[in-house]
Amino acid sequence: MRTEVIKFERQFAALQAQKQRQVWWYGGLFVLALLISAWIGDFSPAKIWHGLPRIHEYVLKTLPVLGWVTLWTDLTEWFWGLRKWLGLLLETVLIAYLSTLLGTVGALALAFDASTNLQRSGWGYGLTRRAMEFARTIPELVFALIFVFAFGLGPMAGVLAIAIHTMGGSGKLFAEAIENIDMKPVDGLRATGASWLQTLRFAVLPQVFPNFTSFTLWRFEINVRSASVLGFVGAGGIGQEFYTAIRMLYYEDISAMLLLLVATVMLIDIACERLRHRMIGQENMS
Amino acid sequence: MMLRLQNMDEPALALARQVAPAVFAPRLLQTLLRVLAWLAFLALTMYCLWLFEMSPLRFVNGLGTLLHIVAQMFPPTAGDMLATYLMSMLQTVGMAFIGTVFAAVLALPLGLLGAKNMLSNGLAHFLFRRSSDVLRGVDQLIWALIFVRAVGLGPLAGILAIIISDTGTLAKLYSEAIENIDKKPVEGVRSVGGGPLHAIRYGVLPQVLPVMLSNMLYTFESNTRSATILGIVGAGGIGFYLSDRVRTMNWEDASFILLLILLTVYLIDHLSGFIRSRLIRGQVAKQPV
């Protein structure tokens, strides 16, 4: 009895020591990584401390002076470019729409070949997987930067850039959804001699459609955000106007446009969420 | 009993027709709505194509130029800038790391206060949720540009941009994780006289920590990608060289930097996937049945 207690105590102490060693080891690695990052990123608490007042000052400058009596005139002065900005915001949203559409079509073209359970050939699988990885690893703004040279300044470069990125991102999610389907309908259709496309249409698509729609709506929300900075490299949308305002220090314009942008993004998020819930609800009912 | 139209005889059918005419009416309205929806979709798409002047001709011409550019990208070379490129790639990763760590810490209180089961006050809950939405709603690059103006060129502006936008993202993810916890441990801690902080430390954190760490790692991966473009507006990292090489049409160096980014992102993804799998495996083993 006593020996067992001693044995247990010993084992417990050993496990505790091991745990402690692990904490020190991983904690030490973490702190080391943090220190190296701080050194190479030229980052220190003192710098933040000096930066904070400047950020505060900057934020104060962007806020307009609003008086109770002259509220309306002050507001109209603050949002003097409302018509132009709303037009650019609409363009931004449309860029996001068209690029989501094109990107989703591209993702649909690749995703079935890139899923382990439906792939037609080994090299097709590898090729589509690599293509999608490439498309989602390179940031859309880099694509936009290069496409501006190829397709000229303007929204077209932006649409194509985000479309390519969407193809990679959505394609991966689509392929994962396809890999999780029930294979019995697929076997059934194959047994009747259906072609590959017919199998996709009647056995796979009905199972993955709700997931695909949900991913696509979510992607659209993301793309609206990405489209808002395309203008930084001359690829359309409200970004160009932002860039000018921030560069030229038109302080009040910055806050006005930021408010409009945040409102737009929120509205779209809420609308997409509603739509998504409605679709999922319908799916559960039928 | 199942009632099927094909099993009914003539008089029963006539009766059914009389009782429920809607079943037999052609679904005109539905068809009409569907056609209208498709037409609206087509019209919107065509309008976009027209608005953005995206003609097939322009596309083909652009593709030709693009192929020309891609041909000029080979072979990728670094010239005598290899050390500089590697260093600023490392800086990019460092910025992403520091930004993620700070954002993860700052998001903790926001996430706790934004969770419905932690803060029962509806108005406060709404305010915390919306404020994190505002942080998320603005793209990281816009924050970066603003911070470049406020604190000057360099990686500090980029790190601040990452911190700001990811505090919003992580706060939202944290709130969702906290709302999904089992509340029995919290009640247990409270019932033996623990204060709210005790409840958080011993009731909430043990449940959500693995989820939070996993979210942090995902954020770190995505930050490594997004930090590569912060340099376009002068907020530090490899993006500065990339945009400069593209703008001066130095395609060989540009493609070298692109390859460097691909390789780094690939490595970081695998490293973080490895850590995540270890963390989650440890957690599963520890969880009581």
Side-chain angles (χ1 to χ4, degrees):
Chain A
M1 184 64 198
R2 265 187 64 89
T3 50
E4 266 177 25
V5 171
I6 291 170
K7 210 169 133 193
F8 169 77
E9 288 283 353
R10 201 173 288 154
Q11 217 169 7
F12 184 65
L15 279 175
Q16 251 185 338
Q18 194 195 352
K19 176 102 192 170
Q20 207 154 27
R21 265 203 307 279
Q22 264 181 359
V23 168
W24 278 107
W25 181 233
Y26 288 117
L29 267 182
F30 178 77
V31 171
L32 189 69
L34 204 59
L35 285 177
I36 293 178
S37 304
W39 173 68
I40 204 166
D42 206 11
F43 181 83
S44 65
K47 274 204 151 180
I48 287 217
W49 191 245
H50 287 300
L52 278 181
R54 274 147 78 190
I55 295 170
H56 181 68
E57 203 179 307
Y58 189 91
V59 171
L60 281 185
K61 274 191 200 159
T62 61
L63 296 179
V65 188
L66 294 179
W68 265 121
V69 189
T70 52
L71 189 63
W72 182 248
T73 32
D74 285 350
L75 276 179
T76 47
E77 202 172 311
W78 186 19
F79 284 94
W80 64 274
L82 190 64
R83 197 173 279 266
K84 181 174 65 169
W85 294 335
L86 283 181
L88 284 169
L89 268 175
L90 182 70
E91 186 182 88
T92 309
V93 174
L94 288 180
I95 290 176
Y97 163 76
L98 191 60
S99 57
T100 310
L101 180 69
L102 292 178
T104 306
V105 170
L108 280 177
L110 297 183
F112 295 101
D113 267 314
S115 51
T116 41
N117 50 348
L118 289 176
Q119 64 184 83
R120 281 178 293 190
S121 59
W123 62 266
Y125 174 79
L127 204 67
T128 48
R129 282 265 156 174
R130 293 293 93 70
M132 291 186 332
E133 258 168 35
F134 177 79
R136 67 170 181 273
T137 303
I138 305 282
E140 53 263 59
L141 211 65
V142 174
F143 279 128
L145 201 62
I146 296 172
F147 287 176
V148 162
F149 276 89
F151 298 97
L153 288 168
M156 183 173 179
V159 168
L160 292 176
I162 299 186
I164 290 215
H165 198 75
T166 303
M167 183 181 80
S170 291
K172 181 187 175 224
L173 292 176
F174 286 2
E176 276 167 11
I178 293 168
E179 281 170 1
N180 285 327
I181 62 165
D182 178 9
M183 284 302 278
K184 283 186 202 118
V186 178
D187 293 339
L189 270 169
R190 274 190 191 147
T192 64
S195 72
W196 195 69
L197 277 178
Q198 284 169 330
T199 320
L200 295 191
R201 169 66 187 85
F202 295 105
V204 184
L205 209 56
Q207 293 191 58
V208 292
F209 188 70
N211 268 337
F212 281 16
T213 333
S214 176
F215 290 149
T216 305
L217 283 172
W218 177 66
R219 195 78 220 177
F220 175 61
E221 293 172 28
I222 296 178
N223 285 348
V224 173
R225 273 168 220 175
S226 315
S228 67
V229 294
L230 283 174
F232 284 23
V233 296
I238 198 170
Q240 179 86 53
E241 200 71 14
F242 250 119
Y243 198 69
T244 319
I246 298 175
R247 272 291 160 92
M248 298 294 179
L249 303 175
Y250 300 149
Y251 289 109
E252 295 187 0
D253 288 11
I254 302 173
S255 58
M257 274 191 278
L258 271 183
L259 277 181
L260 286 177
L261 179 67
V262 167
T264 312
V265 168
M266 269 187 191
L267 275 180
I268 286 176
D269 282 10
I270 291 170
C272 283
E273 201 169 323
R274 283 262 169 94
L275 212 59
R276 204 158 33 215
H277 279 297
R278 248 188 72 176
M279 283 187 163
I280 294 168
Q282 270 180 352
E283 202 54 38
N284 286 343
M285 272 189 284
S286 60
Chain B
M1 190 188 105
M2 285 278 278
L3 202 60
R4 284 178 183 281
L5 287 179
Q6 62 261 42
N7 296 341
M8 290 167 134
D9 51 8
E10 232 3 270
L13 265 179
L15 184 70
R17 218 172 246 133
Q18 209 175 3
V19 175
V23 175
F24 297 91
R27 307 218 164 152
L28 238 178
L29 194 68
Q30 239 178 338
T31 320
L32 200 69
L33 277 179
R34 184 168 294 174
V35 169
L36 273 180
W38 276 105
L39 278 181
F41 164 74
L42 269 179
L44 183 62
T45 309
M46 295 314 283
Y47 173 71
C48 284
L49 289 173
W50 172 79
L51 185 70
F52 303 151
E53 295 165 20
M54 291 177 68
S55 63
L57 183 70
R58 208 176 146 204
F59 182 75
V60 171
N61 281 342
L63 216 56
T65 322
L66 192 63
L67 282 178
H68 190 63
I69 289 174
V70 171
Q72 281 180 311
M73 282 184 166
F74 289 95
T77 52
D80 48 2
M81 299 284 285
L82 182 66
T84 319
Y85 291 160
L86 286 179
M87 206 59 190
S88 72
M89 192 67 235
L90 207 60
Q91 188 181 57
T92 309
V93 178
M95 282 161 60
F97 186 64
I98 294 195
T100 314
V101 170
F102 272 78
V105 173
L106 287 177
L108 201 57
L110 266 180
L112 275 169
L113 293 172
K116 262 186 203 134
N117 47 355
M118 292 289 114
L119 194 68
S120 45
N121 185 333
L123 180 70
H125 168 78
F126 178 82
L127 282 180
F128 277 110
R129 270 291 169 97
R130 287 297 155 265
S131 60
S132 67
D133 276 358
V134 170
L135 295 183
R136 275 183 321 119
V138 178
D139 197 271
Q140 216 169 55
L141 211 63
I142 296 180
W143 289 122
L145 194 59
I146 290 177
F147 282 126
V148 163
R149 268 299 170 202
V151 301
L153 289 166
L156 183 64
I159 293 173
L160 287 173
I162 294 176
I163 293 177
I164 286 277
S165 64
D166 281 345
T167 301
T169 316
L170 283 172
K172 180 169 187 258
L173 291 172
Y174 286 180
S175 306
E176 276 162 12
I178 291 168
E179 280 171 5
N180 284 332
I181 63 165
D182 178 8
K183 62 180 182 183
K184 284 188 202 108
V186 179
E187 283 167 4
V189 174
R190 294 310 292 262
S191 73
V192 296
L197 282 180
H198 287 120
I200 290 173
R201 168 65 186 85
Y202 297 103
V204 180
L205 272 189
Q207 294 190 57
V208 293
L209 211 54
V211 182
M212 284 183 176
L213 282 173
S214 177
N215 284 335
M216 259 179 76
L217 284 168
Y218 273 124
T219 314
F220 176 51
E221 285 173 39
S222 105
N223 276 339
T224 313
R225 285 159 211 244
S226 55
T228 56
I229 54 168
L230 290 176
I232 292 180
V233 296
I238 191 90
F240 169 73
Y241 292 105
L242 180 59
S243 69
D244 179 71
R245 297 304 178 260
V246 170
R247 283 188 177 131
T248 54
M249 299 209 249
N250 185 347
W251 299 113
E252 291 178 354
D253 277 40
S255 68
F256 181 83
I257 295 174
L258 280 180
L259 283 179
L260 199 60
I261 291 176
L262 280 173
L263 185 72
T264 311
V265 170
Y266 181 78
L267 283 178
I268 294 283
D269 280 6
H270 274 258
L271 181 71
S272 126
F274 171 72
I275 298 175
R276 191 167 33 241
S277 72
R278 288 204 57 155
L279 283 174
I280 289 173
R281 198 171 56 202
Q283 192 56 31
V284 168
K286 258 186 273 167
Q287 263 172 2
V289 183

